[in-house]
Amino acid sequence: MFRKTLVLAMAFLLLAASIFAGGAEVLEINGVGYFYADSQWNQIEAGSIIPSGARIFNSSYSVLRLDVAGDIVEVAPLTDFQLMSARDEGEASVLYVRSGGLRAQVVSARSGEEGIRFQIQSPVATASVRGTVFTFNGSELVVEEGDVQLENILGQKHSVREDQKSRAYGNENIASVERYFRRNTSVD
């Protein structure tokens, strides 16, 4: 009897781990949000798992916090994005923003771990990190902690450090706010 119970418990834990490995856990939802998976829209509920590949929409005045493979993502109201993948061994978590904005708190890379851990992509730019806190709305990047690489659709890369902002405009060069202020600010 004990063995049967132990086997069932282990099977349940493996099933739960495999479901979570491919998605995001909803930590908090205040308001209304939806995700599109399996050809239907589903209302987001706290504690539920949103599968990889799902499209997520957060309505106005709604607060949504997700755990994406150990990294915390805060979703701004009226944000439309897709959870392309949740980090797996050797792979990065990838989110694709259509509109709105996301704030990510990415856990620092463990010793010996290399490569990009987390990406937020948009039609005009990609923000990639190993461990930091940043906000990205698809074109404008604000880094609160750490260092984030911003790459525009032309493949031009720019490192944005703590307390800096940067922006990518469609097919134009990446324009650093710091560089802009140097050129356009004068002291009389």
Side-chain angles (χ1 to χ4, degrees):
M1 179 69 176
F2 176 72
R3 280 189 210 177
K4 190 183 277 186
T5 305
L6 182 60
V7 169
L8 286 172
M10 289 179 67
F12 177 75
L13 287 174
L14 286 172
L15 176 64
S18 68
I19 290 171
F20 181 69
E25 180 183 10
V26 179
L27 299 176
E28 177 184 358
I29 177 80
N30 291 324
V32 180
Y34 299 93
F35 70 94
Y36 187 80
D38 300 323
S39 301
Q40 65 180 8
W41 285 99
N42 305 281
Q43 189 165 345
I44 296 173
E45 297 177 4
S48 63
I49 303 296
I50 299 175
S52 286
R55 185 172 179 178
I56 302 166
F57 179 76
N58 198 28
S59 63
S60 59
Y61 307 110
S62 183
V63 174
L64 175 60
R65 288 183 64 234
L66 303 172
D67 181 332
V68 180
D71 302 317
I72 306 302
V73 177
E74 296 172 4
V75 182
L78 296 176
T79 296
D80 180 4
F81 72 102
Q82 186 168 0
L83 175 61
M84 304 298 286
S85 64
R87 184 171 36 85
D88 203 0
E89 286 188 37
E91 299 293 321
S93 294
V94 179
L95 308 177
Y96 184 85
V97 179
R98 288 176 175 82
S99 63
L102 302 173
R103 179 180 185 271
Q105 183 175 352
V106 180
V107 177
S108 295
R110 292 182 222 10
S111 178
E113 190 177 43
E114 293 185 20
I116 300 300
R117 291 178 36 85
F118 193 90
Q119 285 187 339
I120 299 180
Q121 302 173 346
S122 78
V124 297
T126 298
S128 303
V129 300
R130 290 189 64 190
T132 189
V133 178
F134 69 100
T135 304
F136 185 59
N137 69 4
S139 64
E140 185 173 280
L141 173 69
V142 178
V143 179
E144 297 172 40
E145 289 179 20
D147 191 352
V148 178
Q149 176 180 290
L150 183 64
E151 180 178 354
N152 69 6
I153 60 176
L154 298 175
Q156 298 167 326
K157 298 176 184 176
H158 175 64
S159 183
V160 184
R161 291 178 172 64
E162 188 169 321
D163 296 326
Q164 289 184 334
K165 297 178 183 181
S166 190
R167 177 176 293 170
Y169 300 95
N171 60 0
E172 296 178 17
N173 293 336
I174 294 175
S176 169
V177 171
E178 181 181 4
R179 203 171 8 174
Y180 172 83
F181 281 125
R182 277 194 219 141
R183 279 186 276 167
N184 297 299
T185 304
S186 64
V187 178
D188 294 331

